[in-house]
């Protein structure tokens, strides 16, 4: 005897599923100013990723004004952090520092430890770029105190710490710090920060006189930077590979990487970087 | 037992009808969703092209992209570059990319005089080099109604002014043309007097040199005849010229009035255009705004929302990069 299949419940379930899929939750009341701030912030991030730091700073500044006008505290924090990063990238270090100082001194915002760590690390990075190593170390130590190992900026803070150690001629400490950053960066994500770790590891190995061991991390950093399409860092990686090959005595390979670095630097229109490559290639 | 059996049959028929109804409804739902998805180009493979314009005027997201009047894509993104140029990114149906050589030119123009703005791609000459993903096209802005009206006004008004000046000069008794005609009249009178003088002289010569022979006399006779013809022509001209001048005098005021009227009409057309154009542009902007809202709404709706990457918000991740020394 054949058992009859009852399709009714199946069809009913299908219809209910379709209706559920087509419908959606009732809309929240529309906050047009908030939408405008979010749109400006997204435009800023897009411009920053495309390498237009000055344009990005303009968008973040506009977003900040809108967020301040509606007292959107989360937005204000994000806008000031983003604005500082864009201003720093466009060469306005003073403006970037003012944004971060304003953020850290703005008590009503009551920043989370992660946000404090992020702001202090950004200030430390700027101090490092300016050659103010003592200030940079102090700020990075404060950032590390505020940031637990799971904090989103933990790996970047370790990398900045490694970079400070490298500048202080302490490659062993740099190797340890950048090596500690790598496991915090999930495979397949944070590609830029992974490349930063690998580049520092390569530079630390080179400084320790282990030029052959420096090649692998530098080549990995180059592959990641090429994947991200960052001309300045690609040229930087190629330059370091040229120096590393020169240190191993392989002048042919060294010239090959210097040539590639020069081509990338010139094509990206970065005259300062191109000059650095030419100086490195001088006999 | 029979009663139960009849009820069972009825119930079975009812179940069958209900199932049919539900099945039909489900099918209609699925077909509608599929049609909406196809209509919005969810399954259409596209390639991304872009061009740079000096202004975003009349360019908006979602605007149709056409080749020879046939829609092949739409404007996906408009962004401002650091050098203040406008980058317009367009998505073109992959199947129609072969119609667009790399030397093609993108134009922003209106469909008809006051129609919607579109991006029209004029295919280039080099048919062997077809665009690929992320290619950049050259851009030229087409003429809008306002530009056309302005160009027409700019070209017609100087011509009408010149015509007015010429006719005023013709009408002016001290003007060059009237003076020239007057001088022609005076010259005609002088020529008539000269002719009479010459005839007298010839007559006297005829008397004095009559002895020179028949040949000379014949030549002089012929000359005399020719001079008579000249005199006749001059007389005719003298009789016609005053009439012509009178006619011109009579017609000139009317012509000047007509030219004045034409200039006034041109001015009114320009004024009307100037008054109506901002309204038309406002309406166009409103329509573009509505379209943008609709597209933004559609982006949030399922299933389109699931196909789009969420835009990043919040603070960007800290980047520890420091250029190597």
């Amino acid at each position: 005897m054949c058992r009859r299949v009852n399709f009714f419940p199946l069809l009913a379930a299908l219809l209910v599923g379709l209706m559920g899929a087509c419908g959606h939750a009732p809309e929240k009341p529309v906050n047009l100013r908030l939408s405008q701030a979010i749109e400006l912030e997204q435009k800023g991030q897009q411009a920053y990723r495309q390498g237009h730091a000055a344009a990005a700073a303009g968008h973040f500044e506009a977003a900040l004004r809108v967020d301040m006008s509606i007292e959107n505290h989360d937005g204000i924090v994000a806008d000031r952090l983003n604005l500082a990063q864009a201003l720093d990238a466009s060469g306005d270090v003073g403006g970037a520092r003012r944004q971060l100082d304003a953020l850290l001194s703005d008590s009503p915002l009551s920043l989370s430890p992660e946000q404090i760590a992020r702001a202090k690390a950004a200030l430390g990075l700027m101090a490092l770029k300016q050659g103010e190593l003592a200030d940079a170390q102090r700020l990075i130590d404060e950032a590390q105190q505020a940031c637990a190992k799971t904090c989103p900026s933990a790996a970047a803070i370790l990398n900045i710490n490694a970079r400070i150690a490298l500048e202080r001629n302490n490659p062993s400490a740099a190797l340890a710090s950048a090596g500690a950053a790598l496991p915090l960066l999930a495979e397949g994500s944070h590609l830029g920060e992974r490349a930063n770790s690998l580049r520092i590891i390569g530079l630390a190995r080179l400084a320790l006189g282990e030029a052959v061991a420096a090649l692998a991390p530098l080549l990995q950093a180059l592959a990641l930077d090429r994947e991200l399409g960052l001309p300045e860092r690609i040229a930087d990686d190629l330059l370091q590979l040229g120096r590393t090959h020169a240190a191993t005595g392989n002048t042919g390979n060294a010239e090959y990487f210097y040539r590639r670095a020069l081509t990338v630097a010139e094509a990206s229109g970065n005259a300062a970087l191109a000059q650095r490559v030419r100086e490195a290639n001088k006999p | 037992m029979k009663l139960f059996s009849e009820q069972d049959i009825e119930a079975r028929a009812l179940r069958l009808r209900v199932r049919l109804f539900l099945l039909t409804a489900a099918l209609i739902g699925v077909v509608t969703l599929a049609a909406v998805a196809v209509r919005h180009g969810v399954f259409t493979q596209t390639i991304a092209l872009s061009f740079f314009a000096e202004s975003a005027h009349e360019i908006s997201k979602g605007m149709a992209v056409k080749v020879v009047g046939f829609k092949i894509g739409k404007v996906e993104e408009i962004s401002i570059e650091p050098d203040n140029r406008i980058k317009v990114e367009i998505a073109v149906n992959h199947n129609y990319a072969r119609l667009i050589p790399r030397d093609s030119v993108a134009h922003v123009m209106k469909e008809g005089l006051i129609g919607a703005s579109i991006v029209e791609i004029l295919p280039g000459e080099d048919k062997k080099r077809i665009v690929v993903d992320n290619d950049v096209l050259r851009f030229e802005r087409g003429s809008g109604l306002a530009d056309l009206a302005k160009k027409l006004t700019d070209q017609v008004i100087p011509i009408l002014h010149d015509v007015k000046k010429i006719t005023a000069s013709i009408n002016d008794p001290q003007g060059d043309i009237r003076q020239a005609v007057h001088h022609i009249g005076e010259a005609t009178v002088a020529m008539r007097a000269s002719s009479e003088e010459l005839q007298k002289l010839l007559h006297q010569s005829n008397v004095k040199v009559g002895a020179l022979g028949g040949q000379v006399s014949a030549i002089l006779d012929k000359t005399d005849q020719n001079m008579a013809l000249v005199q006749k022509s001059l007389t005719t001209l003298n009789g016609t010229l005053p009439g012509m001048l009178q006619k011109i005098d009579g017609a000139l005021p009317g012509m000047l009035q007509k030219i004045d009227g034409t200039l006034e009409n041109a001015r009114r057309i320009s004024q009307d255009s100037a008054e109506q154009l901002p309204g038309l542009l406002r309406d166009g902007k409103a329509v573009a705004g509505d379209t943008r809202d609709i597209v933004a709404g559609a982006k949030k709706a399922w299933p389109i929302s699931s196909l789009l990457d969420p835009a990043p918000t919040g603070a960007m991740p800290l980047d520890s990069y420091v250029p190597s020394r």
Side-chain angles (χ1 to χ4, degrees), chain A residues 4 6-8 11 14-15 18 21-22 38 41-42 45 48-49 52 55 60 78 81-82 85 118 121-122 125 128-129 153 156-157 159-160 163 167 193 196 199 203 232-233 236 240 243 276, chain B residues 12 15 18-30 33 61 77-82 87 89 292 300-303 310-325:
Chain A
R4 286 180 59 200
N6 193 353
F7 286 106
F8 179 77
L11 281 169
L14 180 65
L15 272 180
L18 275 172
C22 292
I38 291 169
E41 192 194 297
Q42 287 170 349
Q45 292 203 22
Y48 186 82
R49 282 197 300 274
H52 308 311
F60 290 138
L81 288 169
N82 290 340
Q85 196 159 330
R118 168 78 170 75
L125 182 64
L128 169 62
K129 286 179 185 172
S153 305
I157 292 170
N159 278 339
I160 299 169
R163 199 67 212 223
E167 293 295 322
E193 210 47 56
N196 291 341
R199 192 181 309 104
L203 291 172
E232 187 187 0
R233 298 182 197 193
D236 200 352
Q240 300 313 325
R243 284 176 173 161
R276 243 181 340 124
Chain B
R12 206 180 301 160
R15 269 206 301 276
V18 169
R19 283 172 191 161
L20 272 174
F21 171 75
L22 287 172
L23 186 64
T24 311
L27 276 173
I28 290 170
V30 170
L33 280 175
K61 266 189 192 178
E77 191 62 51
I78 304 169
S79 55
I80 185 162
E81 295 290 295
K87 184 179 184 185
E89 294 168 46
R292 199 163 43 241
K300 286 176 191 166
W302 183 89
T313 53
M316 294 189 292
L318 180 63
D319 182 1
S320 68
Y321 175 70
V322 179
S324 306
R325 292 183 198 281

Side-chain angles (χ1 to χ4, degrees), chain B residues 86-115:
Chain B
I86 303 300
K87 184 179 184 185
V88 182
E89 294 168 46
I90 58 177
V92 171
N93 189 322
H94 180 72
N95 296 328
Y96 299 116
R98 63 190 160 75
L99 301 173
I100 311 172
R102 279 184 171 173
D103 57 345
S104 300
V105 182
H107 288 260
V108 171
M109 53 177 61
K110 287 209 176 283
E111 286 186 308
L113 275 178
I114 54 169

